[in-house]
Amino acid sequence: MTWKKTLGLAAAAAVALSMSACGGSGDAAKGGAGAKDSAGGEVELSVWTPQEDQGDGSWLDKMEKAFEKAHSEYKITWKNDVVSEADAINKVKEDASAAADVYMFSNDQLGGLMDVGAIGELGENEAKQVKEQNEESMVNSVTGTDGKIYAVPFTSNTWFMFYNSKKFSADDVKSLDAMLKKGKVSFPLDNSWYLQAFYTKGAGLNFYGSDGTDASKGITFADGDDAAAAVTKYLVDLANNPNFMNDADGSGMGALKAGETDVLFSGTWDVNNAKEALHDGYAAAKPPTYSLNGKDVQMEAFAGSKAVAYNPNAKNTKAAAQFAAFLGSAEAQKAHYEMRGIVPTDKSLASTVKSDDFAAKAQLDVISSASVLQPTISAMGPWWDATGAFGKGIVNKEITADNAQEKTKAWADQLANMKG
């Protein structure tokens, strides 16, 4: 990967980020020293993380001790509670002022957290570090509709491809069409989190402007309806290919375990299942290209992040912002990977991923070269049902080569009206 850096740079980035909040703008809402901040002394910090991160000797325990060592100006009392990234928004909405000072969340919750005033804008130094650490899609994943950065990503949320290396070579898996000639391929064609992968590069599918936050731009096919229809015709042929099976409701993993398919598109949550299914043939890679009108088109997965943020309602926003920054630092991400296998977003840590951790390498590769940011704005809501229905029409052969132009145009019109 062209963006690999040395471990020395990773360590330097970690130190820079852990200390950067000290040089905030002076605005408490930006992580600087505001009215609620103290220069040091006794500080209480409440923290929410998943259960797996907590307990004596855990990742959180080690990070809190490392933070105390780096910030001897504080005498910190820690109050840790179990709240997963997925549940953060629901807990915050109960009472934003009583929510944790520092918490982890899935980036699709950003808009809701902003609405209830429970997430603080990062200071200038922290925002700069987030940009230096991450690929553009990860930076955008924690950027609000106001263009400001609100959290530090620590892992990405996306999908890639598990495959049987006994059936396919490393060159084979670069091309979907090559795989279909040599083995069985499953793909969730009627799942709207996956289906868009064919259309972003294939037809210029664009979500809400350049950064996915401008609801007035809608969802459009930049290359036109004819280009979109050409992708649909490819998918009609794919659905009719005897070496293809639609992965619905877990059928793909069942087929992989039974040897009825050689490819499964999923994510890190399925690593253990994929290893069990493929045994010594286990391998993973980014999504492949497919051949459209004689050209190789890269499939692009939706991508988001899990990130750490601070609550502007904290009693000491400076300390909270500093600790949030530290939990997203290179040092913390490296420890998170070593202790729990959480794949880092920090580009400088690519070289620390184990050589046999195929899933981690695939995920990093997706974020680097085969992904598009999943929008988090409310205008995106209707996309899921509309696109799922369109994919189901392909699977059920209601959409054919003969009516692909008409059906795609109707779908495109639906998408164009999904504006805020």
Side-chain angles (χ1 to χ4, degrees), residues 271-328:
V271 165
N272 290 335
N273 288 328
K275 286 181 177 179
E276 179 184 343
L278 294 170
H279 305 290
D280 55 354
Y282 168 78
K286 72 178 184 181
T289 63
Y290 67 99
S291 181
L292 183 66
N293 297 328
K295 296 181 179 180
D296 290 335
V297 178
Q298 177 64 55
M299 294 171 64
E300 289 191 318
F302 264 146
S305 69
K306 292 181 179 180
V308 58
Y310 77 95
N311 189 341
N313 300 295
K315 292 180 179 178
N316 191 303
T317 51
K318 179 179 178 181
Q322 286 175 320
F323 187 56
F326 186 79
L327 288 184

Side-chain angles (χ1 to χ4, degrees), residues 2 8 10 29 52 74 77 79 91 114 130 212 221 254 272 289 299-300 324 361 390:
T2 59
E52 296 83 354
Y74 298 130
T77 299
K79 185 177 182 295
K91 291 292 291 182
M114 291 175 66
V130 168
F221 292 102
N272 290 335
T289 63
M299 294 171 64
E300 289 191 318
K361 288 181 176 295
F390 185 75

Side-chain angles (χ1 to χ4, degrees), residues 293-367:
N293 297 328
K295 296 181 179 180
D296 290 335
V297 178
Q298 177 64 55
M299 294 171 64
E300 289 191 318
F302 264 146
S305 69
K306 292 181 179 180
V308 58
Y310 77 95
N311 189 341
N313 300 295
K315 292 180 179 178
N316 191 303
T317 51
K318 179 179 178 181
Q322 286 175 320
F323 187 56
F326 186 79
L327 288 184
S329 69
E331 176 184 347
Q333 287 191 41
K334 183 174 183 291
H336 222 174
Y337 175 68
E338 292 172 344
M339 297 179 72
R340 282 197 55 214
I342 304 299
V343 183
T345 61
D346 189 302
K347 294 181 290 186
S348 69
L349 297 178
S351 59
T352 70
V353 172
K354 299 173 184 176
S355 60
D356 61 350
D357 193 341
F358 303 128
K361 288 181 176 295
Q363 181 162 311
L364 289 168
D365 209 7
V366 168
I367 298 303

Side-chain angles (χ1 to χ4, degrees), residues 89 92-93 108-119 376:
I89 185 66
V92 166
K93 283 185 175 180
D108 59 354
Q109 302 169 13
L110 178 58
L113 293 167
M114 291 175 66
D115 289 344
V116 296
I119 189 165
T376 61

Side-chain angles (χ1 to χ4, degrees), residues 82-96:
V82 173
V83 177
S84 71
E85 298 95 344
D87 293 335
I89 185 66
N90 295 325
K91 291 292 291 182
V92 166
K93 283 185 175 180
E94 292 175 6
D95 185 353

Side-chain angles (χ1 to χ4, degrees), residues 90-129:
N90 295 325
K91 291 292 291 182
V92 166
K93 283 185 175 180
E94 292 175 6
D95 185 353
S97 65
D101 302 324
V102 178
Y103 58 87
M104 295 173 166
F105 70 102
S106 297
N107 83 294
D108 59 354
Q109 302 169 13
L110 178 58
L113 293 167
M114 291 175 66
D115 289 344
V116 296
I119 189 165
E121 177 194 346
L122 295 188
E124 181 179 350
N125 290 333
E126 297 98 315
K128 179 182 177 182
Q129 189 64 37

Side-chain angles (χ1 to χ4, degrees), residues 3 5 13 17 20 121-144 146-153 328 333 345-348:
W3 34 260
K5 300 179 182 178
L17 184 54
S20 65
E121 177 194 346
L122 295 188
E124 181 179 350
N125 290 333
E126 297 98 315
K128 179 182 177 182
Q129 189 64 37
V130 168
K131 293 177 181 179
E132 291 175 350
Q133 280 183 287
N134 297 282
E135 299 290 347
E136 184 179 5
S137 62
M138 292 296 95
V139 176
N140 289 340
S141 76
V142 292
T143 301
D146 56 6
K148 299 173 182 177
I149 298 176
Y150 283 88
V152 185
Q333 287 191 41
T345 61
D346 189 302
K347 294 181 290 186
S348 69

Side-chain angles (χ1 to χ4, degrees), residues 142-353:
V142 292
T143 301
T145 53
D146 56 6
K148 299 173 182 177
I149 298 176
Y150 283 88
V152 185
F154 64 88
T155 193
S156 56
N157 182 28
T158 191
W159 54 267
F160 47 85
M161 177 174 64
F162 294 108
Y163 69 93
N164 184 352
S165 62
K166 292 185 175 181
K167 181 65 67 75
F168 304 117
S169 69
D171 281 336
D172 290 334
V173 297
K174 294 177 182 178
S175 166
L176 177 59
D177 302 284
M179 288 189 291
L180 287 165
K181 291 177 181 178
K182 295 183 67 174
K184 303 286 187 178
V185 176
S186 65
F187 185 88
L189 205 55
D190 56 354
N191 186 318
S192 46
W193 198 50
Y194 292 82
L195 182 60
Q196 61 77 33
F198 291 92
Y199 288 91
T200 50
K201 289 290 189 183
L205 180 60
N206 177 267
F207 296 87
Y208 305 109
S210 60
D211 60 4
T213 63
D214 188 347
S216 68
K217 298 292 186 182
I219 303 174
T220 59
F221 292 102
D223 297 338
D225 292 343
D226 287 347
V231 177
T232 301
K233 290 177 182 178
Y234 175 89
L235 296 178
V236 168
D237 289 342
L238 176 65
N240 288 316
N241 190 311
N243 276 350
F244 173 82
M245 69 163 284
N246 187 55
D247 177 5
D249 302 321
S251 61
M253 182 58 75
L256 194 69
K257 290 181 177 180
E260 296 170 356
T261 187
D262 303 298
V263 176
L264 177 81
F265 292 83
S266 188
T268 53
W269 54 90
D270 261 337
V271 165
N272 290 335
N273 288 328
K275 286 181 177 179
E276 179 184 343
L278 294 170
H279 305 290
D280 55 354
Y282 168 78
K286 72 178 184 181
T289 63
Y290 67 99
S291 181
L292 183 66
N293 297 328
K295 296 181 179 180
D296 290 335
V297 178
Q298 177 64 55
M299 294 171 64
E300 289 191 318
F302 264 146
S305 69
K306 292 181 179 180
V308 58
Y310 77 95
N311 189 341
N313 300 295
K315 292 180 179 178
N316 191 303
T317 51
K318 179 179 178 181
Q322 286 175 320
F323 187 56
F326 186 79
L327 288 184
S329 69
E331 176 184 347
Q333 287 191 41
K334 183 174 183 291
H336 222 174
Y337 175 68
E338 292 172 344
M339 297 179 72
R340 282 197 55 214
I342 304 299
V343 183
T345 61
D346 189 302
K347 294 181 290 186
S348 69
L349 297 178
S351 59
T352 70
V353 172

